[in-house]
Amino acid sequence: KSPFLYGFVFCRQRQDERLRRGGEQKSVVVLSMFPYSSVLGPLSQWAGPTFFNQGHEALEEAFEDVLEWQEPEAGGRAILA
């Protein structure tokens, strides 16, 4: 484990004249104690639109799936579902 916390971000900007500042920016952040950018970067890019389109429940389901992933092995391959 690393003494750092790694964050992988999906940002969405949306123009809306009805809002006080003419738009908004929202983000979804995937946090990890491990620097697995090749997995967690794409996961954040999937999680952001999923959250904004399907809601909180979809992210909860994805989180439960991630908890079932096997521990990674150096040099090994894993199939993530």
Side-chain angles (χ1 to χ4, degrees):
K1 289 185 180 181
S2 170
F4 301 103
L5 189 60
Y6 299 89
F8 304 88
V9 183
F10 172 85
C11 296
R12 179 182 82 166
Q13 291 182 331
R14 185 172 65 98
Q15 301 297 324
D16 187 339
E17 298 301 322
R18 297 172 295 175
L19 298 175
R20 189 176 124 223
R21 299 183 80 171
E24 68 180 0
Q25 179 169 326
K26 294 184 177 183
S27 300
V28 172
V29 181
V30 175
L31 296 173
S32 174
M33 296 185 319
F34 304 98
Y36 301 147
S37 60
S38 62
V39 173
L40 298 174
L43 178 62
S44 70
Q45 297 305 302
W46 171 85
T50 299
F51 171 73
F52 293 122
N53 293 328
Q54 299 178 26
H56 191 268
E57 294 80 19
L59 277 189
E60 287 181 14
E61 288 181 32
F63 177 73
E64 294 296 327
D65 289 343
V66 169
L67 290 177
E68 298 296 320
W69 290 356
Q70 294 181 5
E71 190 77 24
E73 296 178 22
R77 290 182 176 226
I79 297 174
L80 306 175

